[in-house]
Amino acid sequence: MKKLKLFETESTSSRRSFLRNAGAMAFAAPALSWLSQPAFAENSLQGGKPLGIALVGLGYYSTHQLAPALQKTKFCKLTGAVTGTPAKAAEWEKKFNLPKKNIYDYKTYDRIADNPDIDVVYVVLPNAMHAEYTIRALEAGKHVICEKPMAVSVKECQQMIDAAKKANKQLAIGYRLHSTPQHQEVMRFAREKTFGAIKVVETSDGFRIGDPSQWRLKKSLAGGGSMMDIGIYALNASRYVTGEEPVSVFAQEFKTDPVKFKEVDETILWQLKFPSGAVATSTSTYAAGVERLYATCENGWYEMGPCYGYGPIKFRTSKGEVNLPQLTHQAAQMDDFAQSVMSNKPSIVPGEEGLKDLKVIEAIYKSIETGKVVTIS
Ligand code: NAD
């Protein structure tokens, strides 16, 4: 694993998600994740003590989504932070009433091992740093949530899974949509074949990326372009909408700005074939806004859009509108993980789920490189 140079910068890149969802956030209701798990209606585990979470990398997502969401969780508490910027350390200490001893920089990171206030390390760094910081946290004896994409290669994903096994700690990926009732409902449609066999799936995710100097456009930090960042939502959705693993892929890449996207992909279109005969066609793009999930089946269809941002999610089927609670995704996701840890049950989004997406992403890049259909084994 390559060690990357660390520094703290305010990236403007992901303000897009904030802007894309700013209006929507006002409607988000508190997490209810636990409806399906009545045993956890109250936090009776750990004597009612919430799990202590330390956020690693205090950029956009930690600051504007995870830290506020943590205030809405039932089973988690923000107890620590890791940052390379002393000013941010001081700000977070004050804002969240964090003891000085619970704030680390990247040099002191491994000392988290000695801190009983921190049960879970949440890695929110540029993609190429996920593997290293996840493995170090596992070696420090902590459970880990790692943001998507899990890592920048299947090899790294496997190393992370192995490290979690060795440490006997849980590793989950930040696939927040798996904790929303809407996406859980399409997973149920896949399991129960509510609309009959699933035939054709269309999923797309995109936004128009700004600042050309951001890490998302640097291969060494991002691992890839829009595909790694947001195409992964469309890909992950096609896997849970069908409930199957794809057997082959054909992909094409398009660039409208070869200078800005010199190192990484701007737009990729790909087609997946699934064992049942279902097919999916998907788009990932940094050129325009798109958020869509559509499935047509033997006896009807369903669609969501917008569906990958922070909500509200719009959902309808051939039978009409579907109105399910609009949750704060990250609060629901972290509470789901806390319950897995507290009850020693597997996470609903374990490392293996992240690896499966990386496997397809590697096949997508190979198909672009070779111009051929690539078999996914
Ligand atoms: P960001 O650029 O806003 O924050 C990244 C943080 O890492 C910053 O605090 C930065 O200072 C720090 N950092 C440390 N070393 C760095 C280096 N060498 N180069 C650049 N930054 C460095 O990014 P973000 O939008 O917060 O994204 C962080 C991770 O979270 C990414 O993996 C991204 O895919 C993921 N993310 C997930 C969601 C979601 O909805 N699940 C949304 C946004 C971002």
Side-chain angles (χ1 to χ4, degrees):
M1 234 178 327
K2 209 165 53 176
K3 285 214 176 186
L4 289 151
K5 193 166 164 259
L6 290 165
F7 61 86
E8 285 278 331
T9 56
E10 259 308 312
S11 159
T12 52
S13 64
S14 34
R15 306 248 184 300
R16 51 89 186 174
S17 307
F18 178 70
L19 293 173
R20 172 163 87 172
N21 296 286
M25 282 161 59
F27 299 99
L32 294 171
S33 202
W34 2 215
L35 284 176
S36 55
Q37 302 181 51
F40 291 105
E42 294 305 325
N43 180 7
S44 55
L45 294 175
Q46 298 206 135
K49 189 174 160 273
L51 279 195
I53 297 200
L55 297 176
V56 185
L58 307 182
Y60 163 79
Y61 195 56
S62 287
T63 305
H64 296 290
Q65 298 300 330
L66 295 174
L70 272 160
Q71 313 305 312
K72 297 183 184 174
T73 55
K74 270 180 154 177
F75 308 115
C76 306
K77 189 176 175 215
L78 178 67
T79 54
V82 181
T83 174
T85 309
K88 279 193 198 168
E91 191 189 319
W92 279 61
E93 192 188 317
K94 204 167 153 209
K95 188 165 178 193
F96 298 106
N97 201 18
L98 296 175
K100 253 191 183 54
K101 69 171 182 64
N102 290 9
I103 300 187
Y104 298 82
D105 61 26
Y106 297 107
K107 285 197 198 98
T108 57
Y109 181 61
D110 304 286
R111 286 193 216 148
I112 274 186
D114 307 320
N115 195 329
D117 296 346
I118 297 168
D119 303 294
V120 177
V121 167
Y122 195 149
V123 178
V124 202
L125 291 164
N127 309 340
M129 299 167 74
H130 290 179
E132 179 190 339
Y133 282 84
T134 293
I135 292 170
R136 281 168 66 182
L138 290 164
E139 285 172 353
K142 304 298 173 183
H143 302 284
V144 176
I145 307 175
C146 174
E147 257 317 312
K148 45 55 58 180
M150 178 175 179
V152 296
S153 68
V154 170
K155 191 175 164 200
E156 282 187 345
C157 293
Q158 192 58 58
Q159 287 168 346
M160 294 156 83
I161 291 168
D162 293 345
K165 282 202 184 111
K166 193 168 168 204
N168 199 21
K169 294 288 160 190
Q170 292 227 19
L171 167 60
I173 310 306
Y175 288 123
R176 57 186 163 74
L177 298 172
H178 287 240
S179 292
T180 67
Q182 293 80 2
H183 288 262
Q184 287 175 351
E185 187 70 345
V186 297
M187 292 174 200
R188 185 179 73 80
F189 291 168
R191 272 195 313 273
E192 298 177 5
K193 301 284 178 286
T194 315
F195 291 82
I198 294 138
K199 297 291 183 184
V200 176
V201 174
E202 294 176 9
T203 60
S204 298
D205 196 13
F207 75 98
R208 219 168 139 186
I209 200 161
D211 178 12
S213 66
Q214 62 189 285
W215 66 259
R216 280 183 166 78
L217 300 175
K218 295 189 171 74
K219 182 131 201 269
S220 60
L221 285 165
S226 72
M227 187 68 228
M228 284 275 183
D229 190 22
I230 42 167
I232 196 165
Y233 287 105
L235 165 60
N236 194 253
S238 65
R239 292 182 39 245
Y240 57 72
V241 166
T242 55
E244 297 179 55
E245 295 308 322
V247 290
S248 67
V249 64
F250 179 70
Q252 277 184 285
E253 182 184 353
F254 302 89
K255 275 192 214 290
T256 60
D257 187 341
V259 177
K260 186 167 180 178
F261 300 101
K262 187 168 173 252
E263 297 188 26
V264 299
D265 45 279
E266 179 185 7
T267 298
I268 292 181
L269 271 65
W270 71 96
Q271 296 158 357
L272 295 172
K273 183 178 154 197
F274 291 89
S276 66
V279 290
T281 177
S282 303
T283 307
S284 169
T285 185
Y286 272 156
V290 53
E291 275 192 67
R292 171 173 162 82
L293 182 164
Y294 175 84
T296 186
C297 314
E298 270 175 329
N299 308 316
W301 53 264
Y302 36 97
E303 69 179 356
M304 282 195 231
C307 53
Y308 305 117
Y310 307 135
I313 295 169
K314 286 206 154 193
F315 186 8
R316 64 190 182 116
T317 76
S318 43
K319 293 181 182 160
E321 295 289 322
V322 182
N323 289 306
L324 289 165
Q326 302 284 353
L327 307 185
T328 300
H329 302 182
Q330 296 83 356
Q333 170 213 332
M334 288 188 276
D335 270 344
D336 278 348
F337 184 64
Q339 289 167 68
S340 299
V341 168
M342 288 168 172
S343 59
N344 202 20
K345 292 203 173 111
S347 160
I348 57 172
V349 281
E352 286 76 5
E353 179 68 13
L355 183 145
K356 284 175 188 164
D357 278 344
L358 258 296
K359 204 167 158 184
V360 183
I361 291 176
E362 284 189 352
I364 285 172
Y365 285 135
K366 194 169 169 203
S367 175
I368 291 165
E369 196 188 311
T370 59
K372 296 198 168 123
V373 173
V374 172
T375 301
I376 306 163
S377 49

